[in-house]
Amino acid sequence: MKKTGSKWMALAGLAVLVMSSSSAHATWTFSASGTDAGLGDGTKLAVTSNIVDSSGGPKLSIGGLYAANDTSDNMGFASGAKWVSGALVYYGGGLGMASDGASQPNHAIDNSGANTESVLLHFDASVILNSVSFGYVSGDSDFTVYRYTGAGDPSSLVNVSPTAMSGWTLLNNYNGGSSAATNSLSNTTLGSSWWLISAYNKGFGGSLDQADDYFKMSAVSGIKCTSGGGRDCGSQASGVPEPASLALVAVAIAGAAGSVTRRKPMA
Protein backbone atom coordinates (compact mmCIF):
# COMPACT_ATOMS: atom_id res chain seq x y z
CA MET A 1 0.00 0.00 0.00
CA LYS A 2 2.84 2.36 0.79
CA LYS A 3 4.40 1.93 -2.66
CA THR A 4 1.06 2.51 -4.35
CA GLY A 5 0.60 5.78 -2.45
CA SER A 6 4.07 6.92 -3.39
CA LYS A 7 3.34 6.25 -7.06
CA TRP A 8 0.18 8.34 -6.97
CA MET A 9 2.01 11.18 -5.20
CA ALA A 10 4.75 11.15 -7.82
CA LEU A 11 2.14 11.14 -10.57
CA ALA A 12 0.37 14.12 -9.04
CA GLY A 13 3.68 15.98 -8.97
CA LEU A 14 4.18 15.20 -12.67
CA ALA A 15 0.74 16.56 -13.49
CA VAL A 16 1.42 19.79 -11.61
CA LEU A 17 4.79 20.18 -13.33
CA VAL A 18 3.34 19.67 -16.81
CA MET A 19 0.45 22.04 -16.18
CA SER A 20 2.59 24.80 -14.68
CA SER A 21 5.26 24.63 -17.39
CA SER A 22 2.71 25.52 -20.05
CA SER A 23 2.03 28.97 -18.57
CA ALA A 24 5.00 30.35 -16.61
CA HIS A 25 4.41 33.92 -15.46
CA ALA A 26 7.23 36.43 -16.00
CA THR A 27 7.98 39.97 -14.83
CA TRP A 28 10.41 42.29 -16.62
CA THR A 29 11.76 44.99 -14.30
CA PHE A 30 13.40 48.12 -15.70
CA SER A 31 16.72 49.53 -14.55
CA ALA A 32 19.46 52.07 -15.34
CA SER A 33 22.14 51.44 -17.97
CA GLY A 34 24.89 53.34 -16.19
CA THR A 35 25.17 55.80 -19.09
CA ASP A 36 24.56 59.45 -18.21
CA ALA A 37 21.31 60.74 -19.70
CA GLY A 38 22.89 64.13 -20.38
CA LEU A 39 20.15 66.07 -18.60
CA GLY A 40 22.50 67.66 -16.10
CA ASP A 41 20.85 66.04 -13.09
CA GLY A 42 22.87 62.83 -12.78
CA THR A 43 20.16 60.55 -14.12
CA LYS A 44 20.99 57.53 -16.28
CA LEU A 45 19.59 56.18 -19.51
CA ALA A 46 17.42 53.08 -19.18
CA VAL A 47 18.53 49.57 -20.14
CA THR A 48 16.79 49.13 -23.50
CA SER A 49 17.74 45.65 -24.78
CA ASN A 50 17.89 42.03 -23.62
CA ILE A 51 15.86 42.69 -20.48
CA VAL A 52 15.27 39.31 -18.81
CA ASP A 53 13.18 37.96 -15.96
CA SER A 54 14.08 35.40 -13.32
CA SER A 55 11.98 32.62 -14.89
CA GLY A 56 13.93 32.61 -18.16
CA GLY A 57 11.04 34.03 -20.17
CA PRO A 58 11.34 35.88 -23.49
CA LYS A 59 13.87 38.71 -23.71
CA LEU A 60 12.50 42.24 -23.98
CA SER A 61 13.78 45.36 -25.74
CA ILE A 62 12.21 48.80 -25.27
CA GLY A 63 12.26 52.24 -26.87
CA GLY A 64 10.70 55.63 -26.31
CA LEU A 65 8.25 57.38 -28.66
CA TYR A 66 6.43 60.70 -28.48
CA ALA A 67 3.94 62.62 -30.64
CA ALA A 68 2.93 66.28 -30.61
CA ASN A 69 -0.21 67.34 -28.76
CA ASP A 70 -2.83 69.80 -29.92
CA THR A 71 -1.63 72.41 -27.45
CA SER A 72 -4.48 74.79 -28.22
CA ASP A 73 -6.80 72.73 -26.03
CA ASN A 74 -4.68 69.71 -24.98
CA MET A 75 -7.48 67.39 -26.14
CA GLY A 76 -5.80 65.23 -28.76
CA PHE A 77 -2.85 65.05 -31.13
CA ALA A 78 -1.72 67.94 -33.29
CA SER A 79 -2.79 67.82 -36.92
CA GLY A 80 -0.31 65.65 -38.84
CA ALA A 81 1.43 64.48 -35.66
CA LYS A 82 3.91 61.59 -36.07
CA TRP A 83 5.58 59.27 -33.58
CA VAL A 84 9.20 60.30 -33.03
CA SER A 85 11.95 58.34 -31.22
CA GLY A 86 12.94 59.62 -27.80
CA ALA A 87 15.43 58.43 -25.17
CA LEU A 88 14.10 56.55 -22.14
CA VAL A 89 15.62 57.69 -18.85
CA TYR A 90 15.63 55.63 -15.66
CA TYR A 91 14.57 57.50 -12.54
CA GLY A 92 13.92 56.24 -9.03
CA GLY A 93 10.39 55.12 -9.83
CA GLY A 94 11.01 53.69 -13.29
CA LEU A 95 11.11 54.77 -16.92
CA GLY A 96 10.59 58.39 -17.88
CA MET A 97 11.10 60.71 -20.86
CA ALA A 98 12.15 64.32 -21.19
CA SER A 99 10.77 65.12 -24.65
CA ASP A 100 9.13 68.27 -23.30
CA GLY A 101 11.21 68.97 -20.21
CA ALA A 102 13.18 67.12 -17.54
CA SER A 103 11.77 68.94 -14.52
CA GLN A 104 9.35 67.17 -12.21
CA PRO A 105 6.81 65.87 -13.18
CA ASN A 106 7.58 66.28 -16.92
CA HIS A 107 10.40 63.76 -16.55
CA ALA A 108 7.77 60.99 -16.37
CA ILE A 109 5.87 59.34 -19.22
CA ASP A 110 3.13 61.93 -19.67
CA ASN A 111 0.52 63.57 -21.92
CA SER A 112 0.86 67.10 -20.60
CA GLY A 113 2.47 69.99 -22.43
CA ALA A 114 3.93 69.63 -25.91
CA ASN A 115 3.87 65.83 -26.32
CA THR A 116 2.22 62.54 -25.46
CA GLU A 117 4.91 59.99 -24.56
CA SER A 118 4.94 56.19 -24.80
CA VAL A 119 7.07 53.06 -24.49
CA LEU A 120 7.41 50.54 -27.33
CA LEU A 121 8.03 46.94 -26.18
CA HIS A 122 9.46 44.17 -28.36
CA PHE A 123 9.67 40.63 -26.95
CA ASP A 124 11.59 37.91 -28.80
CA ALA A 125 8.49 35.70 -28.51
CA SER A 126 4.78 36.37 -28.34
CA VAL A 127 3.63 37.38 -24.84
CA ILE A 128 0.22 37.79 -23.21
CA LEU A 129 0.84 41.11 -21.45
CA ASN A 130 -1.33 41.24 -18.32
CA SER A 131 -0.05 43.99 -16.02
CA VAL A 132 1.91 47.24 -15.99
CA SER A 133 3.55 48.61 -12.83
CA PHE A 134 4.07 52.29 -12.08
CA GLY A 135 6.65 53.21 -9.43
CA TYR A 136 5.75 56.91 -9.52
CA VAL A 137 2.56 58.80 -10.32
CA SER A 138 1.81 62.51 -10.27
CA GLY A 139 -1.72 63.79 -10.77
CA ASP A 140 -3.28 60.86 -12.59
CA SER A 141 -1.97 57.90 -14.61
CA ASP A 142 -4.45 57.16 -17.40
CA PHE A 143 -2.76 55.06 -20.07
CA THR A 144 -3.43 53.21 -23.33
CA VAL A 145 -2.20 49.79 -24.49
CA TYR A 146 -1.92 48.61 -28.11
CA ARG A 147 -0.70 45.26 -29.44
CA TYR A 148 0.58 44.57 -32.94
CA THR A 149 -1.61 42.18 -34.93
CA GLY A 150 -0.37 42.96 -38.43
CA ALA A 151 2.16 41.18 -40.62
CA GLY A 152 5.88 41.89 -40.78
CA ASP A 153 8.02 44.13 -38.61
CA PRO A 154 6.10 47.07 -37.07
CA SER A 155 9.20 49.04 -36.07
CA SER A 156 8.18 51.48 -38.81
CA LEU A 157 5.70 52.82 -36.24
CA VAL A 158 8.21 55.66 -35.92
CA ASN A 159 7.05 58.50 -38.18
CA VAL A 160 3.52 57.00 -38.39
CA SER A 161 0.48 58.97 -37.31
CA PRO A 162 -0.60 57.92 -33.78
CA THR A 163 -4.24 58.12 -34.89
CA ALA A 164 -3.77 55.80 -37.89
CA MET A 165 -1.49 52.96 -36.78
CA SER A 166 -1.96 50.26 -39.40
CA GLY A 167 -1.62 46.75 -38.01
CA TRP A 168 -2.05 47.85 -34.38
CA THR A 169 -5.08 46.85 -32.29
CA LEU A 170 -6.24 48.73 -29.20
CA LEU A 171 -6.26 46.52 -26.11
CA ASN A 172 -7.89 49.20 -23.95
CA ASN A 173 -7.65 52.60 -22.30
CA TYR A 174 -7.06 52.35 -18.54
CA ASN A 175 -7.58 54.64 -15.56
CA GLY A 176 -4.38 54.02 -13.64
CA GLY A 177 -5.33 56.10 -10.60
CA SER A 178 -3.39 58.68 -8.60
CA SER A 179 -0.81 56.53 -6.81
CA ALA A 180 1.96 54.08 -7.70
CA ALA A 181 0.51 50.62 -8.31
CA THR A 182 0.47 47.51 -10.47
CA ASN A 183 -2.34 47.87 -13.01
CA SER A 184 -4.09 44.76 -14.32
CA LEU A 185 -4.82 44.77 -18.05
CA SER A 186 -7.56 42.10 -17.67
CA ASN A 187 -5.95 40.21 -20.55
CA THR A 188 -5.86 36.40 -20.43
CA THR A 189 -5.67 35.36 -24.09
CA LEU A 190 -4.35 38.09 -26.38
CA GLY A 191 -0.69 37.91 -27.29
CA SER A 192 1.85 39.71 -29.45
CA SER A 193 5.60 40.23 -29.52
CA TRP A 194 5.11 44.02 -29.99
CA TRP A 195 3.25 46.23 -27.50
CA LEU A 196 2.83 49.99 -27.11
CA ILE A 197 2.08 51.55 -23.71
CA SER A 198 1.30 55.26 -23.86
CA ALA A 199 0.07 58.02 -21.62
CA TYR A 200 -3.61 58.45 -22.57
CA ASN A 201 -4.57 60.82 -25.36
CA LYS A 202 -8.08 61.67 -26.62
CA GLY A 203 -6.79 60.82 -30.09
CA PHE A 204 -6.85 57.13 -29.09
CA GLY A 205 -10.61 57.29 -28.49
CA GLY A 206 -12.35 56.54 -25.23
CA SER A 207 -13.78 58.91 -22.65
CA LEU A 208 -10.95 59.33 -20.13
CA ASP A 209 -9.81 62.79 -19.11
CA GLN A 210 -6.65 63.92 -20.90
CA ALA A 211 -5.20 66.11 -18.20
CA ASP A 212 -1.97 65.85 -16.22
CA ASP A 213 -1.26 62.11 -16.47
CA TYR A 214 2.30 61.40 -15.32
CA PHE A 215 3.81 58.00 -14.50
CA LYS A 216 7.14 56.16 -14.43
CA MET A 217 6.88 52.58 -15.62
CA SER A 218 8.81 50.20 -13.35
CA ALA A 219 7.86 46.77 -14.75
CA VAL A 220 5.55 44.76 -16.98
CA SER A 221 4.30 41.21 -16.50
CA GLY A 222 2.95 38.52 -18.79
CA ILE A 223 2.95 34.93 -19.98
CA LYS A 224 4.70 33.50 -23.01
CA CYS A 225 2.20 32.55 -25.69
CA THR A 226 2.71 28.94 -26.77
CA SER A 227 -0.35 28.39 -28.94
CA GLY A 228 -2.64 30.16 -31.38
CA GLY A 229 -0.04 31.54 -33.76
CA GLY A 230 1.01 34.33 -31.40
CA ARG A 231 -2.21 36.36 -31.61
CA ASP A 232 -4.90 34.45 -29.67
CA CYS A 233 -3.28 32.26 -27.04
CA GLY A 234 -6.34 30.32 -25.87
CA SER A 235 -6.86 29.80 -22.14
CA GLN A 236 -3.29 29.08 -21.05
CA ALA A 237 -2.96 32.32 -19.11
CA SER A 238 -5.79 31.40 -16.75
CA GLY A 239 -4.06 28.20 -15.69
CA VAL A 240 -5.67 25.79 -18.16
CA PRO A 241 -2.99 23.61 -19.78
CA GLU A 242 -2.81 23.11 -23.52
CA PRO A 243 -4.49 20.01 -25.06
CA ALA A 244 -1.12 18.29 -25.60
CA SER A 245 -0.24 18.75 -21.92
CA LEU A 246 -3.61 17.38 -20.84
CA ALA A 247 -3.14 14.37 -23.08
CA LEU A 248 0.28 13.65 -21.57
CA VAL A 249 -1.12 13.78 -18.04
CA ALA A 250 -4.04 11.52 -19.02
CA VAL A 251 -1.74 8.90 -20.53
CA ALA A 252 0.48 8.91 -17.45
CA ILE A 253 -2.51 8.53 -15.12
CA ALA A 254 -3.95 5.73 -17.20
CA GLY A 255 -0.63 3.87 -17.18
CA ALA A 256 -0.19 4.20 -13.43
CA ALA A 257 -3.79 3.16 -12.77
CA GLY A 258 -3.31 0.04 -14.87
CA SER A 259 -0.13 -0.83 -13.00
CA VAL A 260 -1.87 -0.48 -9.64
CA THR A 261 -4.90 -2.58 -10.60
CA ARG A 262 -2.68 -5.37 -11.95
CA ARG A 263 -0.63 -5.55 -8.73
CA LYS A 264 -1.56 -8.64 -6.68
CA PRO A 265 -2.37 -8.19 -3.00
CA MET A 266 0.46 -9.11 -0.69
CA ALA A 267 -0.11 -12.37 1.27
Side-chain angles (χ1 to χ4, degrees):
M1 185 68 182
K2 184 177 180 181
K3 291 184 178 179
T4 301
S6 298
K7 178 175 287 188
W8 281 110
M9 289 179 66
L11 182 59
L14 171 64
V16 170
L17 176 62
V18 171
M19 292 172 71
S20 63
S21 65
S22 66
S23 56
H25 192 264
T27 297
W28 294 266
T29 302
F30 305 119
S31 61
S33 69
T35 303
D36 193 292
L39 300 176
D41 57 1
T43 54
K44 309 295 184 180
L45 292 174
V47 172
T48 57
S49 62
N50 294 324
I51 301 168
V52 297
D53 82 295
S54 60
S55 73
K59 292 181 180 180
L60 168 63
S61 296
I62 57 175
L65 296 173
Y66 63 91
N69 287 332
D70 177 1
T71 54
S72 64
D73 58 11
N74 198 31
M75 292 295 287
F77 292 104
S79 177
K82 306 291 184 183
W83 286 117
V84 178
S85 293
L88 290 173
V89 179
Y90 182 80
Y91 296 93
L95 302 177
M97 285 185 76
S99 71
D100 50 8
S103 59
Q104 188 173 348
N106 279 335
H107 61 328
I109 305 294
D110 67 81
N111 60 6
S112 185
N115 303 315
T116 290
E117 297 166 334
S118 66
V119 180
L120 180 65
L121 295 83
H122 181 207
F123 297 93
D124 65 4
S126 188
V127 167
I128 303 168
L129 202 67
N130 53 31
S131 72
V132 178
S133 297
F134 298 154
Y136 165 94
V137 169
S138 178
D140 201 2
S141 61
D142 295 344
F143 65 102
T144 298
V145 179
Y146 279 89
R147 67 188 183 104
Y148 187 68
T149 56
D153 184 343
S155 57
S156 59
L157 177 63
V158 178
N159 296 324
V160 171
S161 167
T163 56
M165 300 191 300
S166 178
W168 290 83
T169 300
L170 177 69
L171 184 67
N172 213 339
N173 297 306
Y174 299 89
N175 185 342
S178 57
S179 59
T182 294
N183 302 280
S184 172
L185 305 184
S186 300
N187 176 33
T188 60
T189 63
L190 301 176
S192 180
S193 56
W194 291 86
W195 293 84
L196 182 75
I197 301 173
S198 177
Y200 176 70
N201 187 292
K202 287 286 188 181
F204 294 138
S207 57
L208 298 179
D209 178 28
Q210 183 181 336
D212 300 332
D213 294 291
Y214 304 90
F215 57 83
K216 297 174 188 173
M217 201 160 70
S218 58
V220 295
S221 295
I223 297 173
K224 181 179 178 180
C225 182
T226 58
S227 61
R231 295 293 181 255
D232 184 348
C233 301
S235 55
Q236 68 184 67
S238 55
V240 179
E242 300 171 64
S245 299
L246 284 172
L248 178 60
V249 174
V251 169
I253 291 175
S259 174
V260 170
T261 55
R262 287 193 302 270
R263 185 183 298 275
K264 293 182 180 180
M266 295 181 66

